[in-house]
C-alpha cells in the first residue's frame, strides 16, 4: 500500500475523519434556522464516511448529495445509510470539491465539516456560492485561531501547513466579502477533538499496524498522527475548528463596492 492507501485504511473505520460531534452538527443546524420539514436539497461536501450526512438525513426532510474525493469513504457511508434506514435520502458522488456538478441556485444548504481547507476557505466559499439558492445556507467548519496571539512554535507549524488559518473575525469578513450574511459562529469544544476523533483513532493504531505488518510506512503514519495529537494537546487553548453559519445574500461584496464607486463618480 502507498501512503495514500494507508491513510484511507487508517481512517475509513472512523466514525469521523476530523474533529466534530453529532451535538455540534445539530447546534449548527439550529443556528441555520432551516425548516426541518421543508423538502430541501443539500450537499455535504468532503463528507468522509458521513457522520454529518447521516445525522442531517435523520433530522431533515432532505435529498442529500454526499460528496467526497474517496470512493472508499463513500462505500462506508452507503453501508451505514442502509443500516440506519436513511439510504433513500442520500446519493453519493465521488468527485472533487473544486469541480462540482451542481446547477446554479440548485441547493438550499451546503454543509462541509473539516474539509474546505483542501481547496482553501476563501476559494471554497466564493466558488460554492453560485450553487445556493438566494437565501440558501452555508455551514462550514474551518481550523481557526481562538486567541489573538499564540506561541511561535504553533504559529510556524500552521503557517506552513495551512497559511489561510486565521481568527474568526477574519473568516467572517471573507464570508461577507463573498456575498454571505453570517448568522452564527461557535467553536468546537475539546471533546470534539479528543473523544470524538483522536481517542478513537488511537484505538485503531494497533490493528492498523498489524494489518500492515508493522511496515515502516505504517509506523510513520502513526507517528505523524501522534505528533498532531500532541501538538493539539499542548496548544488547545489557541486553536480549534470554528463552525460558521451564513446565508447567501443578493449581492457579492465586490459588486456593492463597484456600485458605490460608480455612484460616487457620479
Ligand atoms: C478531515 S476529513 C473530514 C471528513 C468529514 N466531513 C468529517 O468531518 O468526518 C476531509 C475529507 O475531505 C475529503 N477530500 C479531500 N480533498 C477533497 C476534494 N478535493 N474534494 C472532495 N473531498 C475531498 C477527504 O477524502 C476527507 O474525507
Amino acid at each position: 500500500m502507498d501512503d495514500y492507501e494507508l491513510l484511507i485504511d487508517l481512517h475509513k473505520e472512523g466514525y469521523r475523519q476530523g474533529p466534530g460531534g453529532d451535538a455540534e452538527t445539530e447546534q449548527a443546524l439550529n443556528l441555520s434556522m432551516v425548516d426541518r420539514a421543508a423538502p430541501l436539497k443539500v450537499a455535504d461536501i468532503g463528507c468522509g464516511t458521513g457522520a454529518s450526512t447521516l445525522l442531517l438525513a435523520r433530522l431533515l426532510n432532505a435529498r442529500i448529495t454526499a460528496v467526497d474525493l474517496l470512493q472508499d469513504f463513500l462505500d462506508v457511508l452507503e453501508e451505514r445509510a442502509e443500516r440506519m434506514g436513511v439510504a433513500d435520502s442520500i446519493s453519493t458522488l465521488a468527485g472533487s470539491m473544486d469541480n462540482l456538478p451542481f446547477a446554479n441556485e440548485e441547493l438550499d444548504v451546503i454543509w462541509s465539516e473539516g474539509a474546505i481547507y483542501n481547496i482553501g476557505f476563501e476559494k471554497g466559499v466564493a466558488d460554492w456560492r453560485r450553487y445556493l439558492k438566494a437565501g440558501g445556507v452555508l455551514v462550514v467548519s474551518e481550523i481557526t485561531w481562538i486567541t489573538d496571539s499564540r506561541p511561535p512554535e504553533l504559529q510556524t507549524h500552521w503557517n506552513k501547513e495551512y497559511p489561510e488559518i486565521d481568527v474568526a473575525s477574519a473568516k467572517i469578513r471573507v464570508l461577507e466579502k463573498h456575498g454571505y450574511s453570517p448568522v452564527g459562529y461557535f467553536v468546537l469544544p475539546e471533546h470534539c477533538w479528543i473523544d470524538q476523533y483522536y481517542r478513537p483513532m488511537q484505538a485503531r493504531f494497533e490493528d492498523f499496524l498489524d494489518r500492515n505488518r508493522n511496515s515502516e510506512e505504517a509506523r510513520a503514519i502513526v507517528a505523524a498522527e501522534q505528533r498532531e495529537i500532541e501538538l493539539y494537546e499542548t496548544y488547545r487553548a489557541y486553536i480549534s475548528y470554528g463552525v460558521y453559519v451564513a446565508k447567501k445574500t443578493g449581492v457579492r461584496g465586490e459588486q456593492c463596492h463597484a456600485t458605490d464607486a460608480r455612484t460616487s463618480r457620479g
Side-chain angles (χ1 to χ4, degrees), residues 16-18 46-48 68-70 73 95-97 113-115 117-118:
R16 288 184 172 272
Q17 286 70 45
C47 58
D68 203 277
L69 198 56
L70 299 178
F73 287 172
S96 182
M97 60 177 77
E113 294 194 19
Y117 70 90
N118 286 293

Side-chain angles (χ1 to χ4, degrees), residues 16 18-25 27 113 186-200 232 240-241 243:
R16 288 184 172 272
D22 279 5
E24 289 70 23
T25 297
Q27 187 178 346
E113 294 194 19
F186 65 94
V187 175
L188 284 187
E190 283 178 27
H191 71 82
C192 288
W193 294 74
I194 306 276
D195 303 327
Q196 315 275 1
Y197 180 50
Y198 285 146
R199 295 293 177 260
Y232 174 72
S240 189
Y241 267 84
V243 181

Side-chain angles (χ1 to χ4, degrees), residues 27-49:
Q27 187 178 346
L29 185 65
N30 290 338
L31 282 173
S32 77
M33 293 180 287
V34 298
D35 180 352
R36 293 184 182 207
L40 303 174
K41 283 191 91 172
V42 177
D44 187 354
I45 302 177
C47 58
T49 60

Side-chain angles (χ1 to χ4, degrees), residues 84-114:
M84 291 167 61
V86 293
D88 286 350
S89 329
I90 299 171
S91 317
T92 59
L93 178 71
S96 182
M97 60 177 77
D98 61 3
N99 184 25
L100 294 166
F102 303 114
N104 286 352
E105 311 210 343
E106 180 179 342
L107 299 171
D108 298 283
V109 176
I110 293 179
W111 204 276
S112 184
E113 294 194 19

Side-chain angles (χ1 to χ4, degrees), residues 130-198:
R130 76 175 80 101
Y131 307 125
L132 280 175
K133 294 175 184 166
V137 168
L138 174 74
V139 176
V140 62
S141 70
E142 162 84 340
I143 194 89
T144 298
W145 295 129
I146 58 172
T147 55
D148 184 44
S149 61
R150 61 227 50 110
E153 184 195 16
L154 185 66
Q155 181 89 47
T156 305
H157 172 84
W158 277 103
N159 282 352
K160 188 158 149 269
E161 289 295 315
Y162 186 54
E164 252 189 85
I165 190 168
D166 216 329
V167 291
S169 51
K171 296 288 170 187
I172 288 171
R173 180 72 198 101
V174 170
L175 287 166
E176 290 167 339
K177 175 179 157 193
H178 289 286
Y180 296 90
S181 179
V183 295
Y185 162 73
F186 65 94
V187 175
L188 284 187
E190 283 178 27
H191 71 82
C192 288
W193 294 74
I194 306 276
D195 303 327
Q196 315 275 1
Y197 180 50
Y198 285 146

